[in-house]
Structure formats: C-alpha cells, structure tokens
Amino acid sequence: MAIYSPRNVATQTHTTYTFSSSSLPLFNSQSFHHFTCALQHMALWSAPGASQQQLIKSDHRSTMGMYDDSMMMKQILATHTPDGRDVDVKPVFQLIEDILNRATLQVSSGDNAVQAQMEIEDKAQQASFIAMIEAISFAIDRVSCEIAYKALSGSDAHQTTVSLFNMLAAYSWDAKLVLTLAAFAINYGEFWLLAQIYSTNPLAKSMAILKQVPSILEHTGNLKSRFDALNSLIKVMMDVTRCIIEFKDLPSMYITQDVPAFTTAISLIPTAVYWTIRSVVACATQITTLTSMGHEFAFSASEGWELSTLTHKLKTIYEHLRKQMAVCYQHIDERKSLEAYQMLLNLLEMVHIDNMKILKALICAKDDLQPLVDGSTKKRVNIDVLRRKNVLLLISDLNISHDGLSILEQIYTESRQHTPRLVNQYEVVWIPIVDRSIPWDETMQNRFEYIQSQMPWYTVHHPTLIEKAVIRFTKEVWHFRNKPILVVLDPQGKVVSPNAIHMMWIWGSNAFPFTSLREEALWKEETWRLELLIDGIDPELLKWIREGKYIFLYGGDNVEWVRKFTTAARTVSNSARIPLEMVYVGKSSKREQVRRVLAAIMAEKLSYYWEDLTMVWFFWTRLESMLFSKIQLGRADDMNPMMQEIKKLISYDRDGGWALLSKGSQIVVNGHGTTVLPALLEYDMWKDHVLTKGFDKSFKDHHDKLYSIAHPCCRFEFSTHGGRIPDSMKCPECQRVMEKFTTFCCCHNDNVPGN
C-alpha cells in the first residue's frame, strides 16, 4: 500500500501530499498514474475558502472565439510528431460506439444500438486484439485522468485540448481521436452503467451513491436540456470520427494524393480531430461536473451555447468531409468500373474452355452463389446451369414492351415443344439494365418482379447484380440503347452474334444457333414473297396464299384514305371477278390513330383486320428487323430487289397510306397510297387488258405508269434508342445517297423509351 502524509506549507494556501520512495516498487506505471490522478483531484477539492462552483463556472466559459483558427492549427500541427506506430482503431471504435449508444438517458435498443463484434473465433486475431488493447490502455488512462483533472481545475478548454495533443503526439490523427473518445467512453459509460443497474446490484448502488447518481436521476426533468445537448454533440462527434476512419481505409490503389477531393479531406482532418477532441473535453466537463457537484450545479447559458456551437461546427465539418468522401467514392467507383470494363474487353478477346468466366463477369462479378432465377420453377439457381451451352443474353431495361415479351415467349415456348433437340442446346437469360443514377423504388421493384414473373427462361435475380462496367460494356460494345437486344454466346463464351433479336423475329428458332454466319445463310435462302412478311403471324393469310387468292396488305392512319381504298378495291375486284382479300396491318407507330381506323373498319366492315394489336406490332417489328439485320451485316445498301422492296415498304409507312398486292405468294405491286389508289380508281383505263394480260399484270403496268410520274420520295427514321444506325443509306427509289436529318418527334400515344 502506498504511504503518504499531508504536511502544511505556510507559504501556500493548499495542502501538499508526499509519498514515501520506498512505496514505489509496489506501483506499476498504470497504477502510479491512477494514484497521481487521485492526488490531483484531492488537492483541488482541499482548497480552503474557494467556491468550487464559481471556479468551474468562471474558467469553463467558452473561449472558442479567442483563438484565431490558423494560429490555433499551427499550434496543433506542431504537436504532431508520429513515430510510425500503427493502431487498428476500427475494433476500438466499435467498442466506443457500443458504449455511447447504450449510455444514454433512455437506453438505445434494436436497430439503433451498435453491437460490438468481439466474439473473435480466430485465436490469432483475438490475441492480436488483446495485445493492442494492452498497448493503448495506458494512453487511454492518461487521457482520461488528464481530462478529469483539467475539468475540475477549471482549465481553459483549448489548453486542455492542446495538452491532450501533446500527450498523444506520437499517434496518427485517427488514433489520437479514437484514444480520446475511448477515455471519454469509459467515464461516460461508467456513469450510465451505474444509472442502469444500481437499483438491482448492491455494489453498483453503493458506487452510485458516491457518484450522486440517484440524486441526479431524480432530477432528470431539469437536466433534460443538458443531456439533449450532450447527446447531440456526442452523435456528431461519432459521425466525424467514423468519417475520418473511413478516409484512412480508402484503397490506395484507386485513390491517391493527386485526387483533389482526397487532398482537401486530408488537409481538413487535423482541424476535424481538434474540434472533436475539443468537444470531448466539453462533454467530459459536463459529466464530471454533475458527478462532482451534483444536480444543483446550474447549467449556464454560456455552457449551453458552447455545446450547441461545437455541435454546429462539427456538423459543418462532417458535411464537408462527407461531400469530399462522396467525390472520392465516385472516383474510386469510376476507377473500378474502368478496370472491370477493361477486364471484360480482355476476357472477350481470349479463348476459353467454357463460358463460365464470361458469364460470371457479366452476371455475378460479386460471386453471388445463386444469381439466376429459373423461369419454369421460379427458384434461384447457380450459374453453372449455363455451362457449355449456347446462351442468348436478352438485354433490356424495364420498359420492355408487353408485345415483344409475349411474342418472344411464344417463340421460345414453341421451340421447346416442337424442337426437343434445342432444349439442352441453348438457354435465354434476361439481363435487366437500369439507370443507377435513379433511386430504386417500390414502383421499379414491382415492375421488375412483374416482368420477371412473365419470363419462362432464366433471369438475373436482381438488377443490382449487374455492375456499372457491364452496363457500359453493353452500351458501348454491344450498342444497347433502350430497345432489347439478344447477344449470343457460344459454349466457349465467344460472341457469335452481337444481336440475334432480328433473327429471332424473322425466323424464330429456325435461326439456331443464332450466329452471324447462320444469319447470312438464311438471307441467301429468302426471296421477295408474301410469306416473308406475314410468316408466323396469321394462319388465315397463309391459307389464302395456298388458295392462290389476290391479297391486298394495306396500312396507314388516315380513315378517309382507308375508306376510299377499300371501296375502290372492292369495286375493282367485283368488276374483274377476281377473288380478292384485304388485310389492314396498321402502322408502325401512332397506336391510338390505328385504333380509330380499326374501329371504322370494324363498324363499316371495310376489310379483314387484326384486332389484336400485338399482331400489328409484330408485323412491323419483323419488317424493321429485316432492315436492321442487313445493317448489322453491313448490307444495308444491297442491290438485292428484295431488300429494295423492304426498304420501300418501311418508307411508305412513315408517310400516308400504302398497299401491297400479291397473287398467292407472289408480290405484284408494292406502292405508295398516292399511286395505288389512283391506279384502282382509273380501272376503266386498263380493264380491257385484264382479259389478255391478267388482272395482276394489267394492274402493275398501270400502277408503274403512275409511279413513273409521281415517283414518291423515301424517308427513314431511326430512333436513337434503337442501337445500330447506318452512317449512310441509298434511296431504294433512285439509288442516290440520302440526306441525314435530326428529327424530334412527339409520340405521346406510344411507349417511347427514355420519355
């Protein structure tokens, strides 16, 4: 036991305590420090005639405006002499968080309480953590005693803070801060621990009485404003500390000193550390005062102002640090995305034994164990189900049309039912692409789940599994905009078609294995015939073709033109006594106008029509796919007559009405409304030739005469959301290179991507 004896010194107004040197061996460094700290406190409270309350209140008035920030920080920076020691502050900070979250007037619980994760299974890690705590415990005790002594002695807050910086000079900035917070947490936690258990624990009860805890708690109503101010300041102290630790953990491989936001934050950290430690001193003073003076000690306006000012100042610092942190994370994210993007480029240039590396890079870079959902069972599955198969990546956003989805589902299902050999040879996987800048909300989640539920093939479990680098890759390399594309990977993960969606619309599963070579071969087999335009859409039309009937396909959105055309065609067919059928196929856009035309056709029985607008959509999608397929193959300006006629038909759709006449499978006339209708109305001028030439030849000859005079111009429109757009095109009418214009078109009746 230490031996000490008081002696009066006549020239001083306080009592001095000495201790025998023979007692020193009984002390280790830590217990010696606690002992001297106790003596300092005893010396303070033995001051005769001193008004303790006046002493503390007068010396703790805020002096925050007394120091010029630049001079103050020069003083603080001068104390910083780190010796290279490394302190892992994160586990210590976890303990501090746990203590301060539980040590409140109303005990935190549930989600707000930060649970300390101290159950370390790895013995080596556990030993390392214990060794670290032992290494820093002396520093924490010194800081704790220093704060308590300075608080009771009435020292200036700034000078107290400077003394703490001198004491912690050898530590890094984050370590200084965490050690100081640990010292505060021990004292603050002890107070609230006693408050929470003294009523049930005899030992705690005795200790609580000595610290005046019961008395303080009896007056919590009067002390509420003080604790509210303390809690607000403690919260922002923790926020700033967490942010500083976060900065230290930023990966150096992605962020360096040449990043302005990082440099700015690093230069601000000493200031942030100073004001946080200064706030610790202010909070500790309040608690020390309460436990030493009791609840009667008044909470002055200047003290309240000091706490609120410190809170405001730290909030400002924290907000600035968070802004810099956000910029740093954006920079890191961009660097990581660039790295991942380059990795994708490299992977696709390499030769692989199977498709797993490619698919994992595209679908589950984060090693999600079950990134896919099986469309048939709706259960999550591993990506291995795609190993060494032909994989069709259906890439789209959440605005994929219902029409497109239903047609694709029909093609997929029929291929499974009627072509068993394909079941195990190719799989479809939906890759949902969403704009990461738009917050994910319930509406988007519901939309995603609805689309996913409609798909019978594999789908990615959630859009968040798709990395930003993959999104960039699909747009820059595979030219995905907003319209769905179907990228085909062979069993080794090689891209064999950058977009097979056009093949799928035109030929369905007959296009297997959906390679560009297969696409070329299919085109070589095609001819300009009616089946090319309507195959897979309407069995009734195929029946008419087999019967050798004359068939008019016609379209447009002008009801009056439709009335005139159908009336004229019916009159001519009756007069020429030919079996004629007419089919209204609508228009590629302006769905509401098409509905109005359909209503008139239905009411007036003008012709046969497709009541289901999905059939109208599929007709025009297939037609446009024929052009896009050629563009993708680099054959948009092929002189092939079939391609010229396809381009004419697409152009006619953009401007007014049109009609295409076939006799059975053979297409006779493909004309604009300005030439087809007059040719019918002028039947009397060519009817005499019907008996000798036949109806089809006679009609074509007269139409061609009108066409040579009218010569309607062609026009093509390519949506910027549609992916690949040709650099140039020749007019199918005159073979001149067409001019390129930028058009802004309002299509509020249609589902336009991006609107």
Side-chain angles (χ1 to χ4, degrees):
M1 180 179 294
I3 303 171
Y4 61 90
S5 59
R7 59 184 177 87
N8 293 320
V9 180
T11 58
Q12 296 182 347
T13 60
H14 61 275
T15 303
T16 302
Y17 296 88
T18 63
F19 57 88
S20 169
S21 60
S22 62
S23 66
L24 285 174
L26 300 177
F27 281 76
N28 58 29
S29 60
Q30 189 168 342
S31 57
F32 177 76
H33 174 67
H34 283 303
F35 181 68
T36 54
C37 193
L39 292 182
Q40 289 170 338
H41 291 177
M42 292 173 66
L44 176 66
W45 295 112
S46 63
S51 170
Q52 296 165 356
Q53 184 165 327
Q54 284 183 344
L55 178 65
I56 293 175
K57 289 180 68 176
S58 63
D59 288 340
H60 274 81
R61 295 187 185 279
S62 174
T63 56
M64 294 171 65
M66 293 174 60
Y67 299 98
D68 177 79
D69 276 2
S70 61
M71 293 300 295
M72 176 188 71
M73 287 314 301
K74 284 181 181 179
Q75 184 181 10
I76 296 301
L77 290 170
T79 68
H80 187 57
T81 56
D83 59 6
R85 70 183 70 184
D86 185 32
V87 178
D88 185 5
V89 298
K90 284 191 289 185
V92 181
F93 185 67
Q94 279 187 326
L95 288 174
I96 296 169
E97 279 190 298
D98 192 58
I99 292 169
L100 295 181
N101 273 277
R102 296 176 187 278
T104 57
L105 187 61
Q106 293 180 341
V107 184
S108 298
S109 61
D111 293 338
N112 294 326
V114 179
Q115 303 295 324
Q117 304 295 325
M118 294 311 299
E119 295 182 3
I120 305 173
E121 295 182 3
D122 190 327
K123 292 184 178 180
Q125 287 184 336
Q126 191 175 41
S128 175
F129 179 75
I130 292 172
M132 184 192 67
I133 293 294
E134 289 177 350
I136 63 175
S137 61
F138 178 65
I140 293 173
D141 283 340
R142 283 190 66 200
V143 170
S144 178
C145 286
E146 182 71 8
I147 292 174
Y149 169 64
K150 296 291 187 182
L152 292 171
S153 66
S155 295
D156 170 70
H158 171 70
Q159 293 305 323
T160 300
T161 306
V162 171
S163 70
L164 296 178
F165 273 96
N166 284 321
M167 193 176 292
L168 300 170
Y171 293 93
S172 60
W173 292 109
D174 60 325
K176 296 180 202 289
L177 187 51
V178 170
L179 291 174
T180 305
L181 276 171
F184 170 70
I186 289 172
N187 291 332
Y188 193 62
E190 180 186 19
F191 173 82
W192 284 110
L193 177 64
L194 293 175
Q196 292 172 19
I197 68 171
Y198 82 93
S199 61
T200 58
N201 187 298
L203 175 59
K205 181 176 181 181
S206 300
M207 292 179 65
I209 292 171
L210 287 177
K211 283 187 170 287
Q212 305 188 69
V213 172
S215 176
I216 292 170
L217 294 180
E218 287 176 6
H219 298 83
T220 52
N222 297 331
L223 297 173
K224 186 177 184 304
S225 61
R226 181 180 299 195
F227 283 119
D228 287 345
L230 280 171
N231 288 338
S232 296
L233 183 52
I234 289 170
K235 181 183 180 303
V236 73
M237 281 160 45
M238 299 299 288
D239 289 340
V240 172
T241 306
R242 194 179 299 108
C243 194
I244 290 172
I245 294 172
E246 202 173 336
F247 267 108
K248 185 180 180 182
D249 283 344
L250 292 178
S252 58
M253 68 178 70
Y254 296 116
I255 194 160
T256 55
Q257 294 289 343
D258 59 350
V259 179
F262 183 67
T263 305
T264 300
I266 293 301
S267 65
L268 181 61
I269 283 177
T271 303
V273 172
Y274 168 81
W275 285 109
T276 308
I277 291 180
R278 175 82 170 264
S279 299
V280 170
V281 171
C283 292
T285 298
Q286 289 298 316
I287 296 301
T288 302
T289 301
L290 268 177
T291 56
S292 302
M293 297 290 208
H295 68 87
E296 297 92 350
F297 180 70
F299 184 49
S300 68
S302 63
E303 289 169 325
W305 178 84
E306 180 182 23
L307 293 181
S308 63
T309 303
L310 284 168
T311 301
H312 177 74
K313 191 170 190 71
L314 279 186
K315 280 183 178 178
T316 302
I317 291 172
Y318 174 69
E319 288 169 2
H320 190 57
L321 284 174
R322 288 310 314 176
K323 287 179 181 177
Q324 304 309 311
M325 180 68 77
V327 176
C328 286
Y329 276 133
Q330 183 179 356
H331 176 82
I332 292 169
D333 192 45
E334 289 171 358
R335 289 285 302 275
K336 285 183 176 180
S337 292
L338 180 61
E339 186 180 85
Y341 178 78
Q342 191 60 50
M343 183 199 71
L344 275 173
L345 290 175
N346 295 338
L347 273 176
L348 285 163
E349 290 176 358
M350 297 167 61
V351 178
H352 305 277
I353 60 172
D354 61 26
N355 53 8
M356 284 295 96
K357 280 189 178 180
I358 298 294
L359 291 174
K360 285 179 179 178
L362 290 170
I363 295 173
C364 54
K366 293 180 180 177
D367 293 327
D368 191 287
L369 294 178
Q370 292 182 311
L372 301 178
V373 174
D374 187 332
S376 59
T377 64
K378 304 306 178 186
K379 293 181 179 179
R380 295 186 67 173
V381 294
N382 195 287
I383 201 168
D384 283 338
V385 296
L386 305 175
R387 187 183 296 274
R388 292 184 180 174
K389 290 187 179 181
N390 293 281
V391 177
L392 280 59
L393 301 176
L394 175 60
I395 301 172
S396 80
D397 58 18
L398 300 185
N399 291 319
I400 184 171
S401 72
H402 172 74
D403 295 330
L405 193 57
S406 62
I407 295 294
L408 193 59
E409 180 186 356
Q410 181 180 333
I411 293 171
Y412 177 84
T413 304
E414 288 178 356
S415 73
R416 285 330 208 219
Q417 293 173 347
H418 302 141
T419 317
R421 67 181 180 84
L422 296 180
V423 172
N424 295 319
Q425 294 190 47
Y426 85 89
E427 298 290 351
V428 178
V429 180
W430 181 41
I431 309 290
I433 302 295
V434 298
D435 187 348
R436 292 292 183 86
S437 65
I438 301 175
W440 187 261
D441 57 20
E442 186 177 354
T443 301
M444 296 171 71
Q445 179 66 26
N446 292 338
R447 174 65 179 165
F448 167 72
E449 290 176 357
Y450 171 76
I451 296 172
Q452 190 178 51
S453 68
Q454 301 300 303
M455 293 182 170
W457 45 79
Y458 292 107
T459 64
V460 171
H461 171 62
H462 198 272
T464 52
L465 290 177
I466 308 302
E467 299 287 341
K468 288 183 179 179
V470 176
I471 295 174
R472 177 187 172 188
F473 185 87
T474 61
K475 293 180 178 180
E476 294 186 9
V477 178
W478 290 339
H479 303 283
F480 169 70
R481 296 296 179 266
N482 291 82
K483 290 189 176 181
I485 63 173
L486 204 60
V487 179
V488 183
L489 305 179
D490 71 7
Q492 285 72 45
K494 180 183 177 182
V495 176
V496 291
S497 175
N499 187 9
I501 195 78
H502 311 306
M503 276 190 277
M504 187 67 82
W505 294 146
I506 302 167
W507 298 291
S509 293
N510 289 331
F512 180 83
F514 309 104
T515 65
S516 296
L517 290 175
R518 177 62 176 158
E519 192 171 12
E520 291 265 20
L522 287 167
W523 273 122
K524 288 178 181 178
E525 298 171 5
E526 284 295 349
T527 57
W528 179 235
R529 56 198 176 95
L530 192 58
E531 288 93 337
L532 175 65
L533 301 180
I534 55 90
D535 189 29
I537 298 178
D538 190 348
E540 186 69 16
L541 267 71
L542 295 176
K543 174 187 172 186
W544 294 343
I545 291 172
R546 289 193 298 271
E547 293 172 353
K549 288 185 176 182
Y550 286 97
I551 303 171
F552 259 126
L553 294 187
Y554 72 98
D557 60 352
N558 187 315
V559 175
E560 283 305 312
W561 184 89
V562 168
R563 287 194 181 103
K564 290 178 181 178
F565 169 77
T566 52
T567 301
R570 189 70 63 198
T571 300
V572 169
S573 69
N574 291 335
S575 177
R577 296 181 181 181
I578 59 169
L580 176 69
E581 300 289 349
M582 293 180 286
V583 184
Y584 177 68
V585 297
K587 193 175 177 66
S588 63
S589 59
K590 301 184 179 179
R591 182 166 282 202
E592 287 304 315
Q593 287 92 321
V594 170
R595 283 195 176 96
R596 286 196 286 271
V597 174
L598 282 172
I601 292 172
M602 187 187 309
E604 301 170 32
K605 297 181 172 55
L606 299 178
S607 75
Y608 183 76
Y609 59 91
W610 291 332
E611 187 174 358
D612 185 356
L613 290 181
T614 298
M615 297 169 70
V616 174
W617 176 90
F618 191 37
F619 173 84
W620 288 106
T621 298
R622 287 185 77 252
L623 199 62
E624 289 175 349
S625 289
M626 295 173 193
L627 176 57
F628 279 115
S629 173
K630 286 290 188 177
I631 291 172
Q632 186 168 284
L633 293 171
R635 305 287 178 80
D637 284 327
D638 274 359
M639 296 307 295
N640 185 308
M642 174 179 61
M643 199 62 227
Q644 300 302 308
E645 294 299 326
I646 289 171
K647 287 163 71 174
K648 284 181 186 179
L649 193 52
I650 293 172
S651 174
Y652 295 159
D653 173 61
R654 298 293 186 265
D655 187 19
W658 61 273
L660 180 149
L661 176 66
S662 75
K663 182 181 181 182
S665 178
Q666 182 185 4
I667 296 175
V668 178
V669 168
N670 176 22
H672 192 271
T674 55
T675 55
V676 174
L677 179 57
L680 290 172
L681 294 174
E682 295 174 3
Y683 173 67
D684 288 340
M685 297 174 62
W686 53 273
K687 66 180 180 180
D688 293 338
H689 300 289
V690 172
L691 292 176
T692 56
K693 294 182 180 179
F695 177 81
D696 49 338
K697 184 70 168 63
S698 301
F699 177 70
K700 182 180 186 316
D701 288 346
H702 191 74
H703 174 268
D704 288 350
K705 287 180 183 178
L706 296 176
Y707 170 78
S708 64
I709 299 171
H711 213 300
C713 64
C714 284
R715 181 162 66 100
F716 297 95
E717 294 175 357
F718 295 93
S719 170
T720 55
H721 301 287
R724 297 174 188 270
I725 300 174
D727 294 327
S728 64
M729 280 187 66
K730 290 181 180 179
C731 175
E733 302 283 5
C734 64
Q735 298 306 312
R736 294 175 182 170
V737 176
M738 303 175 75
E739 289 187 77
K740 185 185 291 187
F741 294 89
T742 299
T743 302
F744 293 90
C745 184
C746 179
C747 301
H748 56 273
N749 288 329
D750 300 313
N751 181 21
V752 181
N755 284 2

